[in-house]
Amino acid sequence: IIGILHKAIVGNQSFYVIKLVFLYFRPTEVAQTFHSNPPERATFDRPLSGGDPFNPAFEKGKRLFVACRHAPEKSLDQLLRIFAKHVLPNEEKATLTLLGDGPAHKGLLELAKDLGVWDSVQFVGERPHRELAMWNKYADVFAYPSVSETFG
């Protein structure tokens, strides 16, 4: 995955987001070491077919997206709080889509309701890996707030 790291400043807070510009995975010996089940190269070499997978109400140009296991160390609760406190008040049509599932999923659903951002957040659930390229194609910003990464 190739991306550009952007520092975003909203109000007096700053945070980093990654804007995906190209998605491609070529397994190498090093990647094999860190990722026991790398995606098939054909997944990313094939032409993308199918339409925009996002909720039709989620306007292009304002879509934040994250795909990961919903676990405490991924800091998705912090992403929801940042979205509620800093992003949505400054861009009312911004949206956040979370792909994945895990032990923190139910709490994230409740947090989105408690923060009042439920109508601007979409929880898609776990999706097949082959669909990630399509989600990334139509996303505007890929946000990954994890405090740790195992590459596994």
Side-chain angles (χ1 to χ4, degrees), residues 71-131:
E73 67 274 9
K74 301 298 183 180
S75 301
L76 296 174
D77 59 328
Q78 291 294 351
L79 180 60
L80 280 168
R81 287 183 177 91
I82 290 169
F83 182 75
K85 184 175 181 181
H86 301 289
V87 177
L88 209 49
N90 292 289
E91 184 54 66
E92 67 182 43
K93 293 192 177 195
T95 59
L96 175 62
T97 299
L98 295 91
L99 237 72
D101 202 350
H105 185 79
K106 186 176 179 181
L108 295 170
L109 294 170
E110 292 171 9
L111 181 60
K113 290 176 188 173
D114 292 346
L115 293 171
V117 296
W118 182 256
D119 291 339
S120 300
V121 177
Q122 179 183 22
F123 290 89
V124 179
E126 192 171 343
R127 304 299 307 148
H129 194 270
R130 68 182 176 276
E131 292 183 14

Side-chain angles (χ1 to χ4, degrees), residues 132-143:
L132 284 178
M134 188 62 70
W135 284 95
N136 282 306
K137 175 183 178 182
Y138 286 97
D140 298 301
V141 175
F142 180 77

Side-chain angles (χ1 to χ4, degrees), residues 9 60 62 71 107 145:
I9 301 173
K60 286 190 78 161
K62 302 176 188 309

Side-chain angles (χ1 to χ4, degrees), residues 8-73:
I9 301 173
V10 179
N12 62 356
Q13 298 289 322
S14 65
F15 54 96
Y16 290 91
V17 294
I18 297 174
K19 172 78 175 189
L20 292 181
V21 293
F22 185 67
L23 183 60
Y24 189 82
F25 185 89
R26 183 181 304 250
T28 65
E29 289 181 15
V30 173
Q32 294 284 346
T33 301
F34 293 103
H35 200 297
S36 60
N37 296 313
E40 294 294 323
R41 182 175 175 179
T43 299
F44 298 102
D45 282 347
R46 66 180 167 77
L48 295 178
S49 60
D52 185 339
F54 284 86
N55 178 334
F58 286 16
E59 188 177 313
K60 286 190 78 161
K62 302 176 188 309
R63 297 171 173 169
L64 283 78
F65 169 69
V66 61
C68 65
R69 183 170 175 267
H70 295 182
E73 67 274 9

